[in-house]
Amino acid sequence: MNEVVLKIENLTKTYKLGKRDVQPLTDLNLEVKRGEFTAIMGPSGSGKTTLLNIIGCLDKPTSGTVLLDKVDVARLPESQLYKIRRDKIGFIFQNFNLLPYLNARENIELAMELAGKFKEQRKQRALKLLAMVGLSGREQHRPQRLSQGEQQRVAIARALANDPAIILADEPTGNLDKNSKQEIVKLLANLNQKQGATIIMVTHDEQIAAHAERMLFLNDGKIIK
Amino acid sequence: MGILTRATRNITRRKTRALLVIAALSLALAMLIILPPSITANQEAAQKVIDDLTADVEKQALKLNMVATQIDCYLPIVLSFDSNTRPILYPLMNVTDYAGLSLIPDVTAVIPILRQDQWAQDEYLYDVYGIPLDASFVDGFPSILPSNITAGRNLQAGDRGVVVLQEIVANQFGVDVGGTVNILGQNFKVVGIQGRGSYQGLNQYNVTAAYMSLEEAQTITNTTGQATTFHVFANSIDNVGAIANNIKAAYPSLRVELATSVINEALDLQSRANNRMQEVQNTMNQIQSTAIVEISLVVAAQGAIILLIMLYTVRERTREIGILKAIGASNTTILGQFMLEGVLLSLIAGIIGIAIGIVVASPLAYLLLPHLNQIGFDLILTEEGILTSVPPAVTITPQLILLGVGAALLLGALGSLYPAWRAARIRPAEAMRYE
Ligand SMILES: Nc1ncnc2c1ncn2[C@@H]1O[C@H](COP(=O)(O)OP(=O)(O)OP(=O)(O)O)[C@@H](O)[C@H]1O
Ligand SMILES: [Mg+2]
């Protein structure tokens, strides 16, 4: 349980915007152990999304190392990175980001299809995950026929599809009403407690962050306790 | 739910747009498969025109050349005031006096003809018309024989004791083919009847004559060794003028008559035929260049439509591409996905385009390409009849269907290659921020 899944050292991210540089992350260090539920808070524009994108291999750091399961993903080429995103990362977004032309089950299956899983196996697992997030019987529904809370549950199920090493949730409750917020964060806490999922969750909301076992703050490009 | 299902769903997601694009693409593809057979059909039509013209000109030229190389020489009519006070229509010439005619360069034959008018109580009856029935003359210069035989047969080489009567003359005698007629005290068997309004020699009028061998004509008219006309034949139309001048120089008293109108007609026929062939050739060139331009335009339009629509699609779905990458899609998967969409779109349009092509091939071909102008045939064609102005029928063969499918696949792939490549290169973090 104490194994380190993620170890970030001296991470700096600089965006060049014409003459002016923006540096949301400066010499950032962070360690996450397997099975931890970490919440990261910080003011708007402090670099929370930037940090999650780098951990999730959607973006590259300007300097520093990002060891994910002991592999420095900062040095991997795109031809390797997509496999990390596929197999080790599960993303949950503020606005769900389900594909509108696929139904709930297909959205979950797509992640597994990309990983080369077979049809029957995909279907079984998608149905199991839907049941787990409380959406049994809704597998045929496309996103537009699901409530926002339900869409986020499907997104959570999709994030779990390939049994990732780490789940990255970027303000997963940001677009939800009060009740849904609670349900979603409880679902995440449950995943962490019952299944030992490693979760890093970014949020503005202290009440939501309170569900995590560890709370970090991002300020001036660094993690502060 | 494989990649194909996803591609199909993405196409059907925007139905109106997909329909418009498919309509445009299918029309373009219909044109593409119709153009090649149209060119072939037009080429065949043009070839037929040229073949018909060539055959017709050859046939006419054979006829015309025969007459056009003919020069008639005779002495002018003499007004005599003999006992009958009748003009001498056909003054007599001693054949031996004109032996020099055959020595003139480029002359191939000199054929003496005897014509003597017969009268009874100041009433003109008919001409006795003598033709030398030597095999070499009859076979080589058939125009010396009476034309327009409407019953029985024409005179033949070596014929003796027979006549061909012009219809009016036959009526005067009250005889028909197979009958016997007494002319100036000698009996002749009637072997053929010449219809009215016939050509004889260079002129067209009713030659009311009794045609027979030159020798017999000379005998019964007491004109042995004499003739009234020489048909001088030139070896080609080009030399007719020079020969005529030579004749006038050597025999100033002779009237020399050329088949001027016939020569002009022959030359005119040739030039009209040439003009027409040139016209056909020009039209063919036009068809060819128009088709090339149209094929290029269609191919370019096809590729451009796919390129633009796929670029638009990629832009519109940037965020989606970000999502796909976030859940683990490789660049290759993205590339394949968008290529497949482009190809699928093009292929659907291709199948519809082929269907359109099969249904409206001929009218569409008529609209797309210039065609042979039919005016001008009628001037040339005589017995062969008039060519139709119906557009050549265009049929879509299995090869053309394959061409259509192939073009759809190829253009779909080419047109979507760049957009798909752009899609694959989209950086996921930026794509997720898009919108
Ligand atoms: N691609 C980019 N190019 C330039 N600047 C960027 C880019 N992405 C992010 N930034 C800038 O980096 C800083 C951090 O952005 P980031 O989205 O990580 O903040 P955040 O903490 O997630 O904010 P929020 O709470 O509003 O989501 C911002 O100032 C943002 O404008
Ligand atoms: Mg953010």
Side-chain angles (χ1 to χ4, degrees):
Chain A
M1 267 295 163
N2 289 333
E3 186 194 354
V4 174
V5 186
L6 176 72
K7 189 178 170 74
I8 297 176
E9 284 176 328
N10 304 321
L11 172 65
T12 297
K13 178 67 184 178
T14 312
Y15 289 113
K16 295 218 181 318
L17 283 176
K19 288 185 186 119
R20 213 165 44 88
D21 281 1
V22 180
Q23 192 166 3
L25 304 175
T26 312
D27 272 337
L28 180 142
N29 293 293
L30 174 65
E31 220 178 77
V32 172
K33 295 200 175 74
R34 196 176 296 286
E36 256 183 346
F37 186 1
T38 310
I40 298 178
M41 297 185 71
S44 185
S46 58
K48 305 181 295 292
T49 296
T50 305
L51 176 61
L52 279 201
N53 281 351
I54 289 172
I55 298 169
C57 301
L58 295 179
D59 208 349
K60 286 222 163 196
T62 310
S63 65
T65 53
V66 179
L67 291 168
L68 193 65
D69 266 349
K70 301 189 179 69
V71 176
D72 186 1
V73 295
R75 309 236 180 294
L76 287 182
E78 173 59 30
S79 58
Q80 296 300 314
L81 280 180
Y82 81 90
K83 292 181 201 157
I84 306 277
R85 292 196 286 264
R86 185 186 68 193
D87 302 333
K88 301 238 180 249
I89 309 287
F91 253 112
I92 300 164
F93 304 94
Q94 180 172 354
N95 48 10
F96 331 127
N97 280 341
L98 297 175
L99 293 175
Y101 54 95
L102 301 181
N103 66 30
R105 200 189 84 211
E106 288 165 342
N107 261 291
I108 299 164
E109 275 195 50
L110 179 58
M112 291 185 268
E113 191 192 314
L114 292 171
K117 302 261 168 58
F118 292 113
K119 199 173 172 184
E120 205 41 44
Q121 189 190 358
R122 282 190 331 233
K123 190 176 168 189
Q124 293 309 323
R125 181 153 173 81
L127 290 176
K128 203 177 122 191
L129 288 168
L130 276 170
M132 201 177 81
V133 297
L135 287 177
S136 283
R138 309 295 301 275
E139 62 265 20
Q140 303 281 10
H141 291 187
R142 291 206 184 172
Q144 74 213 41
R145 292 184 53 198
L146 297 170
S147 75
Q148 304 214 301
E150 287 164 346
Q151 285 186 50
Q152 194 61 300
R153 287 160 193 258
V154 176
I156 291 170
R158 177 179 68 183
L160 292 169
N162 289 327
D163 203 7
I166 195 161
I167 289 170
L168 304 174
D170 191 354
E171 306 203 32
T173 58
N175 276 10
L176 301 177
D177 62 56
K178 229 180 183 159
N179 286 341
S180 302
K181 266 186 213 244
Q182 288 303 319
E183 283 171 15
I184 291 298
V185 77
K186 275 181 190 151
L187 185 57
L188 289 176
N190 217 3
L191 279 175
N192 169 250
Q193 283 154 21
K194 298 254 169 72
Q195 308 195 17
T198 312
I199 302 172
I200 302 177
M201 177 179 72
V202 160
T203 182
H204 273 118
D205 190 329
E206 271 181 61
Q207 285 185 348
I208 296 297
H211 286 85
E213 39 182 343
R214 185 181 175 209
M215 216 192 293
L216 302 175
F217 289 89
L218 192 55
N219 211 356
D220 270 345
K222 289 185 168 62
I223 298 281
I224 49 172
K225 184 73 202 67
Chain B
M1 177 224 30
I3 185 167
L4 193 63
T5 318
R6 288 206 300 277
T8 332
R9 282 200 199 165
N10 273 313
I11 290 172
T12 49
R13 242 163 111 188
R14 271 119 190 147
K15 289 197 177 60
T16 320
R17 186 201 300 170
L19 279 178
L20 283 175
V21 170
I22 287 171
L25 289 180
S26 57
L27 269 179
L29 263 159
M31 289 184 201
L32 194 63
I33 61 162
I34 282 169
L35 284 169
S38 306
I39 298 174
T40 321
N42 273 299
Q43 250 156 357
E44 279 162 8
Q47 195 53 55
K48 188 172 161 10
V49 169
I50 290 175
D51 288 351
D52 286 356
L53 272 177
T54 312
D56 196 55
V57 166
E58 268 170 19
K59 237 171 78 180
Q60 296 255 324
L62 210 69
K63 266 198 251 171
L64 291 175
N65 277 337
M66 196 67 70
V67 183
T69 55
Q70 182 178 329
I71 302 161
D72 284 1
C73 306
Y74 52 89
L75 292 171
I77 294 173
V78 181
L79 289 175
S80 94
F81 300 97
D82 63 1
S83 53
N84 298 319
T85 66
R86 289 201 309 257
I88 300 174
L89 293 179
Y90 311 112
L92 289 160
M93 300 175 280
N94 275 321
V95 174
T96 48
D97 293 348
Y98 295 87
L101 284 174
S102 55
L103 301 177
I104 292 169
D106 300 319
V107 168
T108 52
V110 177
I111 301 176
I113 298 292
L114 179 75
R115 243 173 121 166
Q116 288 295 287
D117 44 331
Q118 304 303 318
W119 298 73
Q121 282 100 43
D122 283 350
E123 194 187 336
Y124 169 76
L125 297 177
Y126 60 94
D127 287 349
V128 167
Y129 195 116
I131 303 163
L133 296 175
D134 307 28
S136 62
F137 291 161
V138 173
D139 297 344
F141 308 94
S143 65
I144 64 174
L145 294 177
S147 61
N148 192 24
I149 301 300
T150 51
R153 65 165 177 85
N154 210 334
L155 293 174
Q156 292 170 354
D159 265 351
R160 289 296 182 272
V162 300
V163 280
V164 166
L165 296 181
Q166 200 264 352
E167 198 181 307
I168 296 168
V169 182
N171 290 341
Q172 281 176 11
F173 281 113
V175 286
D176 208 340
V177 174
T180 303
V181 63
N182 187 296
I183 299 173
L184 298 176
Q186 188 171 329
N187 281 336
F188 291 90
K189 192 172 177 244
V190 180
V191 292
I193 304 292
Q194 181 187 39
R196 291 171 195 235
S198 318
Y199 260 110
Q200 191 56 46
L202 302 183
N203 308 301
Q204 184 178 27
Y205 51 82
N206 283 331
V207 180
T208 45
Y211 302 92
M212 61 189 72
S213 75
L214 178 64
E215 291 77 6
E216 285 168 311
Q218 286 170 334
T219 306
I220 61 173
T221 59
N222 291 317
T223 55
T224 305
Q226 293 185 300
T228 56
T229 298
F230 292 106
H231 292 324
V232 177
F233 284 92
N235 58 3
S236 100
I237 298 181
D238 303 336
N239 297 325
V240 167
I243 293 172
N245 289 336
N246 281 334
I247 295 173
K248 283 176 197 158
Y251 304 97
S253 60
L254 280 183
R255 276 279 166 80
V256 179
E257 191 179 314
L258 305 184
T260 319
S261 63
V262 178
I263 293 172
N264 289 342
E265 201 180 317
L267 294 175
D268 196 38
L269 174 78
Q270 194 59 56
S271 84
R272 273 188 323 218
N274 285 343
N275 287 347
R276 185 61 190 143
M277 287 194 199
Q278 192 55 51
E279 199 182 311
V280 170
Q281 194 54 53
N282 288 347
T283 312
M284 272 325 296
N285 294 344
Q286 266 178 37
I287 289 173
Q288 212 114 20
S289 51
T290 311
I292 288 170
V293 168
E294 283 175 357
I295 287 178
S296 319
L297 281 178
V298 161
V299 168
Q302 185 94 2
I305 291 172
I306 295 169
L307 181 80
L308 291 177
I309 201 70
M310 288 313 291
L311 273 178
Y312 185 77
T313 304
V314 167
R315 212 191 142 95
E316 186 184 50
R317 280 163 48 196
T318 300
R319 194 181 175 80
E320 236 173 82
I321 294 164
I323 300 169
L324 282 169
K325 286 198 168 186
I327 64 171
S330 68
N331 287 359
T332 324
T333 304
I334 308 272
L335 184 93
Q337 166 99 47
F338 281 89
M339 290 272 296
L340 185 67
E341 272 180 42
V343 169
L344 209 59
L345 202 61
S346 185
L347 198 64
I348 295 169
I351 290 160
I352 296 172
I354 289 166
I356 295 175
I358 290 169
V359 176
V360 297
S362 295
L364 195 57
Y366 194 73
L367 282 179
L368 285 174
L369 293 174
H371 9 80
L372 294 172
N373 160 27
Q374 301 303 315
I375 300 164
F377 283 149
D378 321 19
L379 301 176
I380 292 291
L381 297 184
T382 51
E383 290 135 44
E384 287 303 290
I386 311 300
L387 280 177
T388 60
S389 63
V390 175
V394 175
T395 40
I396 304 299
T397 59
Q399 287 95 313
L400 285 163
I401 292 174
L402 275 182
L403 172 86
V405 173
L409 285 174
L410 192 70
L411 288 170
L414 282 179
S416 54
L417 187 60
Y418 174 68
W421 178 77
R422 290 257 311 234
R425 265 180 24 129
I426 285 174
R427 307 249 294 274
E430 276 154 39
M432 303 299 292
R433 274 178 196 277
Y434 195 83
E435 269 171 355

